[in-house]
């Protein structure tokens, strides 16, 4: 995993250097590193927001859309968290930085989420059954 992160870091560093050449040397903008981070991260963020907004708006139309949006948000948070913990372990040499640890951590979240889904489904089925009995009782009274 350390090699994979090193590879990604190398790519990001190369893109960073290319952007400096393009923005400062070719376009003559003379941006500082902070200026470049402001604009590039701002554009990445607003583009990501637009995509997430469109997808969220579409998902919200489904019967369990809000739960699905919450799941996707939590899943994204958990991916960032498990990789941050693995990177922290590599930096501090406390524990082993292993990709499988991140995967197992994600499976823990997914397993507990499926327990949640099972509990919700159980109560929905009970509610459906009770609703059918209530409707039958209402029909008998008439």
């Amino acid at each position: 995993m350390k090699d994979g992160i090193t590879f990604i870091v190398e790519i990001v560093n190369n893109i960073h250097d290319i952007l400096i050449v393009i923005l400062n040397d070719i376009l003559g903008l003379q941006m500082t590193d902070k200026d470049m981070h402001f604009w590039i991260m701002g554009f990445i963020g607003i583009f990501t927001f637009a995509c997430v907004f469109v997808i969220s708006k579409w998902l919200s139309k489904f019967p369990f859309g809000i739960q699905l949006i919450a799941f996707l948000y939590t899943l994204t948070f958990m991916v960032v968290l498990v990789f941050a913990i693995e990177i922290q372990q590599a930096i501090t040499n406390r524990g082993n930085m292993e990709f499988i640890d991140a995967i197992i951590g994600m499976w823990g979240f997914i397993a507990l989420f499926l327990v949640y889904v099972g509990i919700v489904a159980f109560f929905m089925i009970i509610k459906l059954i009770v609703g059918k009995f209530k409707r039958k009782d209402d029909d008998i009274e008439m």
Side-chain angles (χ1 to χ4, degrees), residues 2 8 13 19 33 47 55 85 90 131 137-138:
K2 206 171 195 176
I8 292 170
N13 284 336
L19 283 172
D33 193 51
F47 176 76
I55 291 168
I85 289 170
D137 288 344
D138 289 344

Side-chain angles (χ1 to χ4, degrees), residues 1-131:
M1 177 147 169
K2 206 171 195 176
D3 293 334
I5 291 174
T6 304
F7 178 71
I8 292 170
V9 167
E10 188 64 30
I11 291 172
V12 171
N13 284 336
N14 289 337
I15 292 171
H16 182 270
D17 294 344
I18 291 168
L19 283 172
I20 287 174
V21 169
I22 291 171
L23 295 172
N24 291 342
D25 297 343
I26 296 173
L27 298 177
L29 296 176
Q30 300 308 313
M31 287 186 159
T32 66
D33 193 51
K34 288 173 184 50
D35 293 335
M36 192 171 68
H37 280 256
F38 175 86
W39 288 106
I40 299 300
M41 295 316 253
F43 282 121
I44 290 171
I46 203 68
F47 176 76
T48 302
F49 171 78
C51 292
V52 169
F53 179 76
V54 169
I55 291 168
S56 297
K57 194 165 175 121
W58 175 69
L59 288 175
S60 69
K61 295 177 183 177
F62 289 97
F64 296 101
I66 299 301
Q67 289 86 346
L68 186 56
I69 292 167
F71 170 76
L72 292 174
Y73 178 82
T74 306
L75 183 67
T76 304
F77 171 80
M78 292 302 296
V79 167
V80 170
L81 181 63
V82 297
F83 282 106
I85 289 170
E86 290 303 312
I87 292 168
Q88 174 269 338
Q89 285 181 341
I91 292 170
T92 62
N93 289 322
R94 300 182 89 186
N96 295 325
M97 182 179 174
E98 296 176 342
F99 183 70
I100 193 68
D101 290 348
I103 299 299
I104 295 299
M106 290 305 299
W107 274 114
F109 164 65
I110 290 171
L112 291 178
F113 184 79
L114 290 175
V115 169
Y116 163 77
V117 168
I119 291 169
V120 169
F122 172 77
F123 282 107
M124 289 180 66
I125 290 169
I126 296 298
K127 187 177 176 182
L128 185 67
I129 291 170
V130 168

